[in-house]
């Protein structure tokens, strides 16, 4: 016998005997009206006050019995809806149907009942298919009712039943906001720092923001385009401008194509894109400013590109183009005398994209058959800003890696000198030089990881890769001038010194250029020593440097690379001659006897040398005038004000960003520099302190939206620090609990959940970018020692707890029972060797202990906000979300909290894919 009278009543009403034993079949002789009426009246006894305080098994039986009752009521309703069409039976059938629908409505109007049926549906999938069949049958017979009140009552019941499987996925969108700074900042960060990145991680990150912040699709797409136009307007001239143009016109349409593939419900994504452009048209000042900067009608070009990608219909595209053209008649004139002849970058970038594909095909050909033809193609690429246009187009379309690999292969090809005659010597020298310079330029503009081959690729490492990794100065890389790579075979060095010193010019035939580049550093050391000791005069040094830079510019690049490393090691009074030599090598040689394309090659060489020398020139307070190359000076370099502590810089930049309400690309670079200098813990801790100082509600929400975007600089590491160090310290130190009051505490809970969800959804897929790998991480503790793997050794976090909570010794004791911390993640055998999984599991143990503690405070309130935000951001059926780390025992603690005691919340926080999860949920809901 059961302890629950409600369960007994339902079982009887749906034709079952107590104890779950069926009496053969449920009562289905619906023609016996009085019997049916009696059963319906019995149902009245439990419809209003359904609850069960028994064991989990009984609560699951209650779920099954409810599902059984629902099936029976549906069959009953379908039977009488069919009988209505018989004239003699109509009045009686309508009366019976009315009674049936009243009970159905009573059962279904309760969210609690629907939640229990939801659990039963997952327990017994076959029973739910019976419900679906009965719904179909009822639907067929509803036409017999015409438009009577019974018909609308039946329709309401049907829609409630159909909503049961999706009762967790209905979320309202934010309709009271028009600006979304997180989307804006994520797009700006990607366009400023990660043009070469793959589109899929960006798409997933944007979708995550859209879901977490409930952004309606048209406003979401609008915010993406607003950020692109702002980026175009505010970026520095030169390469950065070309990068932003490629990002806006080539990469972002591809991102939207991928966003289109995500389920949109019953909405048409192309309509949302059209709607977004309609909104964008209203931002006339923004569009006019972008058109002035780019010297063209940006909107028109973008609309055409989106139409090509299937994001806009032709009719909508033409309509939008016409509206923009009408607007532009009233806008300031773009064409002025000085910019009338300038070709607009967007048009050039869109034309450069197919050219990249053609060049890649050309580079695949056999170089030995027509080296002169290939040289002609390369020479054309070097003229004007062609190279930067092509690189930007390749970067935005994911072809830059392939582009770079082809040039590494060409550089390797130039090692072949067997049987070389005098005519082919200069061509080979030029192919080596141009490929070397291009690769240096790519590495400096887009990062050296673009050049590197995959670690598992067979064969020896190409010369350029070896040189770049060991000899090329880069930001954050300290080179040792005495490294073996700078100390090649002494006989080769001696012959090179003799050649540079004695010849009137460099010989080209049979020269092994890669060996020359590796020997030049040791040769420069010999020459410097001779100059220091008075063996060589300044005139001799001039002749030598002219020889180095006069034919093959790569030699000058390799020489300066070593000199930069060498100068760092010298005392103040020892640097003069080395710096003078850098100055000599950086000054181009304008003579008659230079090789083809010398002027074009010098432009790239000067840009490479300027990047290489920037740090060392600043440190030695030296000025070297690099020739005006036409290429931009180094963008976003040396942004931090001198003599100002970095904490003050961080505070002031964040305050400005918060006042403005959005992050600009300059601020993004400053934040990145500060993260690099201060380390992950320092950066995260100080920004959290800034958030907790904020007392105005609207400011704290804006701060969270901006901080989340700033954390995207290195989301994985910052999340580990936030959840693994900063939150546990705040929650276990009673002297800090006052800082967690509303609104800053609530805002921190929101930020923590957003970071946890983002990191967890992407941590198995995303590799750290080269920018992130460069960062020093000595402040990140080893998470294996912080949170031990086995339960026999109490973790540091648990020891922290036990010092604070008198009843937490159960959790921190070495022999604590598994049941106190058993979670869905353990049943899904999630690896606890992963730092993020470990941090999440321990954070939820801490939350569980706070909820179960005898004392309450603002930290308890913080935990409630954290859980509420988890539920807010959840997608339905997201098995494998961060809540799988929550101990099952926490559910019963959470339902005691007034804001969490709803059936929907219980369904959301338990893993219903597991039998144990369903039992825990059924027990908690039945007791509500």
């Amino acid at each position: 016998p059961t302890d629950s009278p409600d369960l007994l009543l339902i079982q009887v009403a749906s034709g079952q005997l107590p104890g779950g034993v069926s009496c053969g079949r449920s009562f289905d002789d619906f023609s016996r009206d009085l019997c049916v009426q009696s059963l319906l009246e019995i149902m009245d006894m439990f419809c209003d006050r359904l609850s069960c305080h028994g064991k989990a098994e009984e609560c699951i039986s209650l779920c099954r019995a409810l599902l059984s009752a629902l099936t029976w009521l549906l069959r009953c309703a379908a039977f009488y809806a069919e009988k209505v069409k018989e004239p003699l039976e109509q009045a009686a059938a309508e009366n019976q149907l009315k009674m049936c629908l009243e009970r159905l409505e009573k059962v279904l109007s309760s969210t609690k009942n629907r939640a229990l049926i939801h659990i039963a549906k997952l327990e017994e999938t076959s029973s739910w298919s019976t419900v679906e069949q009965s719904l179909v049958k009822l639907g067929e017979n509803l036409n017999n009712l015409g438009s009577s009140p019974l018909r609308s009552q039946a329709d309401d019941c049907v829609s409630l039943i159909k909503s049961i499987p999706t009762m967790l996925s209905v979320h309202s969108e934010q309709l009271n906001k028009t600006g979304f700074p997180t989307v804006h900042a994520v797009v700006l960060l990607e366009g400023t720092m990660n043009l070469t990145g793959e589109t899929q991680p960006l798409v997933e990150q944007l979708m995550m923001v859209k879901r977490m912040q409930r952004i309606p699709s048209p406003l979401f797409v609008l915010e993406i385009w607003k950020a692109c136009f702002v980026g175009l307007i505010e970026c520095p001239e030169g390469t950065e401008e070309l990068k932003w143009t490629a990002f806006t016109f080539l990469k972002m349409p591809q991102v939207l194509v991928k966003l289109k593939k995500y389920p949109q419900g019953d909405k048409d994504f192309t309509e949302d894109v059209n709607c977004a452009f309609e909104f964008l048209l209203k931002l006339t000042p923004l569009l006019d400013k972008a058109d002035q900067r780019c010297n063209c009608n940006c909107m028109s070009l973008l609309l055409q590109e989106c139409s090509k990608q299937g994001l806009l219909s032709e009719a909508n595209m033409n309509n939008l183009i016409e509206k923009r053209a009408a607007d532009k008649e009233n806008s300031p004139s773009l064409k002025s005398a000085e910019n009338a002849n300038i070709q607009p970058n967007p048009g050039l970038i869109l034309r450069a994209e197919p050219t990249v594909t053609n060049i890649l095909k050309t580079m695949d050909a056999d170089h030995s058959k027509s080296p002169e033809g290939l040289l002609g193609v390369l020479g054309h690429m070097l003229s004007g800003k062609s190279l930067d246009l092509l690189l930007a187009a390749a970067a935005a379309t994911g072809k830059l890696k392939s582009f770079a690999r082809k040039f590494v292969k060409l550089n390797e090809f130039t090692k072949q000198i067997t049987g070389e005659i005098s005519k082919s010597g200069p061509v080979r020298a030029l192919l080596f030089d141009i490929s070397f310079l291009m690769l240096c330029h790519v590495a400096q503009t887009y990062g050296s990881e673009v050049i590197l081959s995959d670690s598992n690729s067979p064969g020896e490492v190409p010369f350029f890769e070896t040189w770049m990794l060991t000899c090329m100065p880069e930001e954050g890389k300290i080179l040792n001038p005495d490294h073996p790579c700078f100390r090649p075979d002494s006989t080769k060095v001696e012959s090179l010194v003799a050649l540079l010193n004695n010849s009137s010019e460099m010989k080209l035939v049979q020269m092994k250029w890669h060996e020359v580049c590796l020997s030049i550093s040791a040769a420069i050391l010999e020459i410097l020593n001779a100059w220091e000791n008075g063996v060589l005069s300044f005139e001799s040094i001039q002749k030598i440097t002219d020889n180095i830079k006069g034919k093959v510019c790569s030699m000058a690049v390799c020489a300066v690379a070593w000199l930069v490393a060498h100068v760092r090691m010298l005392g103040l009074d020892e640097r003069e001659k080395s710096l003078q030599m850098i100055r000599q090598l950086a000054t181009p040689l304008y003579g008659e006897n230079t090789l083809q394309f010398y002027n074009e090659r010098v432009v790239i060489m000067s840009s490479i040398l300027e990047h290489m020398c920037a740090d060392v020139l600043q440190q030695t307070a030296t000025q070297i005038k690099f020739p005006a190359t036409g290429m931009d000076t180094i963008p976003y370099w040396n942004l931090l004000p001198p003599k100002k502590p970095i904490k003050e810089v961080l505070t002031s930049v964040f305050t400005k960003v918060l006042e403005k309400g959005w992050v600009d690309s300059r601020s993004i670079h400053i934040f990145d520099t500060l993260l690099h200098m201060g380390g992950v813990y320092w950066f995260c801790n100080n920004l959290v302190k800034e958030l907790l100082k904020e007392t105005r509600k609207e400011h704290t929400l804006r701060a969270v939206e901006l901080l989340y975007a700033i954390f995207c600089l290195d989301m994985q590491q910052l999340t580990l620090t936030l959840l693994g160090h900063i939150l546990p310290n705040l929650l276990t130190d009673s002297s800090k609990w006052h800082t967690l009051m509303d609104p800053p505490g609530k805002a921190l809970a929101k930020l923590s959940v957003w970071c946890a969800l983002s990191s967890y959804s992407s941590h198995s897929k995303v590799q750290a970018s080269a920018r992130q790998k460069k960062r020093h991480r000595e402040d990140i503790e080893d998470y294996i020692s912080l949170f031990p793997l086995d339960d026999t050794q109490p973790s540091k976090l648990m020891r922290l707890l036990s010092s604070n909570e008198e009843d937490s010794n159960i959790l921190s004791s070495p022999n604590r029972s598994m049941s106190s911390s058993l979670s869905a993640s353990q049943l899904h055998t999630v690896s606890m060797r992963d730092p993020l999984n470990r941090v999440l599991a321990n954070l939820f143990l801490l939350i569980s202990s706070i909820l179960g503690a005898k004392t309450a405070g603002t930290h308890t309130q913080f935990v409630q906000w954290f859980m509420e935000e988890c539920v807010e951001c959840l997608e339905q059926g997201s098995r494998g979300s961060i809540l799988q780390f929550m101990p099952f025992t926490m559910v019963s603690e959470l339902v005691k909290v007034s804001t969490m005691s709803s059936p929907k919340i219980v369904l959301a926080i338990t893993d219903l894919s597991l039998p144990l999860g369903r039992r825990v949920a059924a027990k908690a809901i039945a007791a509500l």
Side-chain angles (χ1 to χ4, degrees):
T2 175
D3 295 335
S4 170
D6 292 332
L7 179 54
L8 178 59
L9 286 169
I10 301 172
Q11 288 172 332
V12 171
S14 57
Q16 290 183 323
L17 291 174
V21 182
S22 174
C23 57
R25 59 173 196 242
S26 58
F27 180 85
D28 55 4
D29 187 356
F30 299 119
S31 60
R32 295 164 67 182
D33 291 0
L34 290 172
C35 294
V36 171
Q37 280 178 31
S38 300
L39 283 169
L40 289 172
E41 282 163 10
I42 292 174
M43 280 201 165
D44 282 343
M45 297 166 67
F46 72 82
C47 279
D48 297 327
R49 52 173 192 79
L50 187 62
S51 66
C52 173
H53 295 276
K55 297 172 184 162
E57 260 321 312
E58 286 188 341
C59 297
I60 283 287
S61 295
L62 179 63
C63 297
R64 289 182 178 134
L66 251 180
L67 180 58
S68 197
L70 174 69
T71 312
W72 185 82
L73 282 168
L74 275 174
R75 286 172 56 218
C76 188
F79 176 84
Y80 290 118
E82 193 171 11
K83 293 276 283 183
V84 167
K85 66 184 178 190
E86 298 173 21
L88 294 173
E89 304 274 353
Q90 187 174 1
E94 280 186 355
N95 186 45
Q96 292 288 92
L97 179 61
K98 183 168 179 275
M99 289 178 71
C100 239
L101 291 174
E102 278 171 0
R103 272 68 179 185
L104 254 180
E105 206 167 37
K106 260 187 178 178
V107 170
L108 293 167
S109 62
S110 154
T111 312
K112 175 177 173 176
N113 290 353
R114 293 203 306 278
L116 292 171
I117 292 168
H118 183 87
I119 293 168
K121 169 194 168 288
L122 297 171
E123 276 285 307
E124 299 182 346
T125 44
S126 56
S127 300
W128 188 254
S129 56
T130 315
V131 169
E132 288 172 329
Q133 287 160 19
S134 304
L135 275 176
V136 171
K137 194 165 182 191
L138 178 60
E140 288 166 358
N141 296 327
L142 284 181
N143 295 328
N144 302 334
L145 304 177
S147 57
S148 66
L150 278 178
R151 171 69 191 258
S152 72
Q153 196 177 12
D155 283 338
D156 290 347
C157 289
V158 168
S159 63
L160 276 172
I161 294 167
K162 285 182 175 174
S163 75
I164 288 172
T166 58
M167 65 188 295
L168 293 181
S169 59
V170 184
H171 285 311
S172 58
E173 291 181 326
Q174 280 201 58
L175 300 173
N176 57 340
K177 278 184 74 177
T178 52
F180 299 93
T182 310
V183 176
H184 191 101
V186 166
V187 173
L188 268 178
L189 190 146
E190 192 75 11
T192 307
M193 295 193 139
N194 200 22
L195 181 61
T196 55
E198 289 178 28
T199 52
Q200 192 55 34
L202 172 61
V203 168
E204 286 173 12
Q205 194 172 36
L206 285 169
M207 277 308 289
M208 176 67 75
V209 174
K210 181 178 187 288
R211 276 197 301 266
M212 291 190 305
Q213 299 188 13
R214 308 272 148 72
I215 307 173
S217 272
L219 295 180
F220 173 64
V221 178
L222 170 67
E223 200 63 53
I224 288 173
W225 290 132
K226 272 164 61 181
C228 287
F229 278 94
V230 167
L232 273 176
I233 292 163
E234 68 169 21
C235 64
E237 286 183 15
T239 316
E240 287 301 306
E241 192 178 345
L242 295 180
K243 283 184 182 181
W244 257 107
T245 310
F247 179 76
T248 303
F249 292 91
L250 293 176
K251 188 166 184 174
M252 279 325 289
Q254 291 298 327
V255 167
L256 286 192
V257 167
K258 290 197 172 181
L259 285 169
K260 185 182 175 184
K261 291 174 185 167
Y262 280 75
Q264 309 289 331
D266 52 359
K267 294 174 186 170
D268 179 5
F269 189 67
T270 52
E271 259 320 300
D272 291 333
V273 173
N274 180 51
C275 187
F277 276 122
E278 291 278 7
F279 289 145
L280 189 60
L281 277 176
K282 293 182 171 66
L283 304 176
T284 314
L286 178 75
L287 298 180
D288 287 349
K289 209 163 170 69
D291 287 358
Q292 279 182 314
R293 174 78 197 261
C294 298
N295 195 26
C296 66
N297 184 340
C298 293
M299 184 79 161
S300 175
L301 285 171
L302 192 55
L303 290 167
Q304 289 169 44
E305 202 55 31
C306 287
S307 178
K308 266 191 234 168
Q309 302 292 347
L311 294 165
L312 270 177
S313 67
E314 197 167 342
N316 283 341
M317 176 193 77
N318 291 330
N319 173 39
L320 290 161
I321 287 174
E322 283 168 23
K323 284 183 179 176
R324 177 63 186 145
D327 272 356
K328 277 174 71 69
E329 285 175 16
N330 307 317
S331 64
S333 172
L334 291 177
K335 297 287 177 192
S336 61
E338 62 269 20
N339 70 7
N341 299 320
I342 299 171
Q343 284 190 295
N345 284 334
L348 292 172
I349 280 286
L350 290 167
R351 288 205 296 279
E353 197 252 333
T355 312
V356 169
T357 311
N358 293 334
I359 288 171
L360 288 174
K361 284 178 189 166
T362 306
M363 297 290 292
D364 276 332
D366 184 351
H367 304 321
S368 60
K369 288 184 178 167
S370 176
E372 292 84 1
L374 179 60
L375 187 58
V377 173
L378 298 185
H380 187 67
M381 280 171 65
L382 296 180
S383 61
K385 57 182 178 184
S386 297
L387 178 60
D388 280 329
L389 274 166
L390 291 166
L391 293 179
T397 51
K399 294 175 186 155
L400 188 61
K401 183 111 183 158
S402 174
F403 204 80
R405 298 305 309 149
K406 306 273 189 227
F407 281 96
V408 169
K409 204 171 159 190
L410 172 62
N411 192 266
E412 285 296 288
F413 161 75
T414 59
K415 286 180 177 178
Q416 300 168 21
I417 58 168
T418 317
E420 185 174 65
I421 53 172
S422 58
K423 182 185 166 191
S424 51
V427 174
R428 188 175 60 84
L430 281 168
L431 289 177
F432 173 85
D433 199 36
I434 291 171
S435 59
F436 186 95
L437 293 171
M438 278 187 180
L439 288 166
C440 282
H441 184 57
V442 169
Q444 286 181 339
T445 313
Y446 293 98
S448 52
E449 72 278 5
V450 177
I451 312 284
L452 299 174
S453 49
D454 300 325
S455 52
N456 53 2
S457 52
E460 64 173 303
V461 180
F463 155 72
F464 184 81
E465 272 189 48
T466 307
W467 180 84
M468 180 183 73
L469 289 171
T470 50
C471 309
M472 182 174 168
E474 281 183 284
E475 185 193 357
K477 183 163 110 185
I478 304 298
L479 295 173
N480 172 12
D482 297 323
H483 189 279
C485 73
F486 293 125
R487 294 281 168 272
D489 183 349
S490 57
T491 52
K492 289 176 183 171
V493 174
E494 283 167 23
S495 60
L496 179 60
V497 170
L499 186 67
L500 291 171
N501 193 24
N502 302 329
S503 310
S504 54
E505 61 177 72
M506 283 294 291
K507 74 165 196 158
L508 303 173
V509 184
Q510 298 277 323
M511 279 294 273
K512 295 181 178 176
W513 294 110
H514 57 289
E515 285 186 4
V516 170
C517 284
L518 288 173
S519 305
I520 193 84
S521 50
I524 291 287
L525 179 60
E526 297 261 332
I527 291 160
L528 260 179
N529 286 337
W531 188 15
E532 295 273 3
N533 294 317
V535 177
L536 287 174
S537 64
F538 180 65
E539 288 71 27
S540 305
I541 296 297
Q542 272 185 313
K543 179 187 154 193
I544 289 167
T545 52
D546 285 355
N547 268 339
I548 292 172
K549 67 192 177 189
K551 300 276 190 198
V552 178
C553 298
S554 316
M555 288 171 65
V557 171
C558 294
V560 172
W562 178 80
L563 281 165
V564 163
H566 180 65
V567 168
R568 283 179 191 273
M569 305 296 169
L570 299 175
L572 277 172
D573 52 344
E574 300 168 318
R575 295 172 178 167
E576 191 192 334
K577 284 191 164 51
S578 298
L579 290 168
Q580 215 170 339
M581 193 172 268
I582 292 176
R583 198 174 277 113
Q584 286 291 320
L585 290 166
T587 311
L589 184 68
Y590 294 112
E592 296 296 311
N593 205 11
T594 53
L595 280 177
Q596 204 178 354
F597 307 122
Y598 185 72
N599 290 351
E600 290 86 349
R601 287 182 289 129
V602 158
V603 168
I604 302 178
M605 177 189 86
S606 297
S607 167
I608 293 165
L609 297 185
E610 189 172 0
H611 278 78
M612 277 184 178
C613 297
D615 277 346
V616 82
L617 294 181
Q618 185 191 27
Q619 287 159 13
T620 56
T622 309
Q623 284 192 327
I624 290 182
K625 184 90 177 93
F626 290 91
T629 60
M631 291 183 155
D632 55 330
T633 51
I634 307 165
Y636 303 120
W637 184 75
N638 199 19
L639 291 172
L640 300 187
K643 297 178 183 173
K644 190 172 180 182
I646 57 172
K647 184 162 185 256
E648 281 180 34
V649 179
L650 182 69
T651 309
S652 65
V653 175
F654 182 68
T655 306
K656 278 180 197 160
V657 161
L658 195 56
E659 280 168 9
K660 269 200 304 192
W662 56 281
V663 186
D664 57 285
S665 43
R666 183 183 164 84
S667 301
I668 287 172
H669 277 271
I670 293 175
F671 283 127
D672 190 56
T673 307
L674 292 169
L675 175 55
H676 189 66
M677 289 177 79
V680 182
Y681 181 83
W682 174 88
F683 186 80
C684 186
N685 193 35
N686 282 305
L687 283 175
V688 167
K689 282 178 184 172
E690 289 305 306
L691 172 62
L692 293 176
K693 280 181 200 169
E694 223 20 272
T695 52
R696 289 164 292 180
K697 189 176 178 181
E698 67 280 6
H699 267 222
T700 55
L701 184 59
R702 188 194 293 172
V704 169
E705 291 177 329
L706 294 170
L707 279 173
Y708 171 82
I710 293 163
F711 280 15
C712 288
L713 285 167
D714 197 345
M715 183 59 83
Q716 294 291 327
Q717 292 296 322
L718 286 161
T719 301
L720 284 174
T721 303
L722 178 63
L723 305 184
H725 293 283
I726 292 166
L727 280 194
N729 286 342
L730 287 169
L731 291 171
T732 53
D733 183 349
S734 54
S735 67
K736 292 176 182 167
W737 288 350
H738 68 281
T739 62
L740 298 175
M741 290 168 70
D742 191 18
K746 194 170 186 178
L748 179 59
K750 189 183 278 284
L751 176 67
S752 305
V753 172
W754 286 5
C755 290
L757 287 172
S758 291
S759 293
Y760 191 74
S761 70
S762 65
H763 83 297
S764 55
K765 306 172 208 164
V766 178
Q767 294 295 308
S769 73
R771 191 184 77 252
Q772 291 162 358
K773 281 178 190 163
K774 245 189 258 179
R775 195 161 292 125
H776 298 297
R777 295 183 177 185
E778 57 278 321
D779 54 314
I780 287 283
E781 282 192 45
D782 173 7
Y783 286 93
I784 300 292
S785 65
L786 182 64
F787 308 127
L789 269 174
D790 55 86
D791 274 342
T792 58
Q793 180 192 2
S795 72
K796 192 182 287 185
L797 177 65
M798 284 304 142
R799 290 198 297 279
L800 260 176
L801 277 174
S802 56
S803 65
N804 246 329
E805 299 286 358
E806 66 276 24
D807 57 339
S808 65
N809 55 359
I810 313 153
L811 285 168
S812 58
S813 69
N815 306 317
R816 77 167 185 270
S817 63
M818 273 304 277
S819 60
S820 67
S821 62
L822 181 66
S823 66
S825 62
Q826 286 161 306
L827 298 177
H828 289 310
T829 58
V830 171
S831 165
M832 283 300 152
R833 290 193 172 277
D834 181 280
L836 184 60
N837 294 349
R838 186 178 288 273
V839 162
L840 285 166
N842 277 272
L843 180 63
F844 276 105
L845 273 179
L846 171 55
I847 287 173
S848 179
S849 83
I850 289 170
L851 283 170
K854 295 187 180 76
T855 53
T858 43
H859 65 308
T860 320
Q861 182 68 69
F862 176 89
V863 162
Q864 290 171 27
W865 290 324
F866 183 91
M867 294 306 299
E868 282 167 26
E869 190 60 36
C870 283
V871 174
E872 270 292 293
C873 295
L874 269 186
E875 294 171 83
Q876 197 204 354
S878 57
R879 175 202 145 170
S881 81
I882 61 169
L883 286 177
Q884 68 177 315
F885 295 99
M886 181 184 84
F888 286 119
T889 50
M890 222 173 101
V891 177
S892 56
E893 296 293 342
L894 275 173
V895 291
K896 294 174 190 170
V897 178
S898 58
T899 52
M900 304 293 283
S901 59
S902 96
K904 275 194 177 184
I905 285 179
V906 175
L907 289 181
I909 62 178
T910 41
D911 189 334
L912 300 175
S913 68
L914 294 167
L916 180 55
R918 294 195 288 274
R919 274 152 185 69
V920 167
K923 192 169 189 297
I925 293 169
L928 288 174

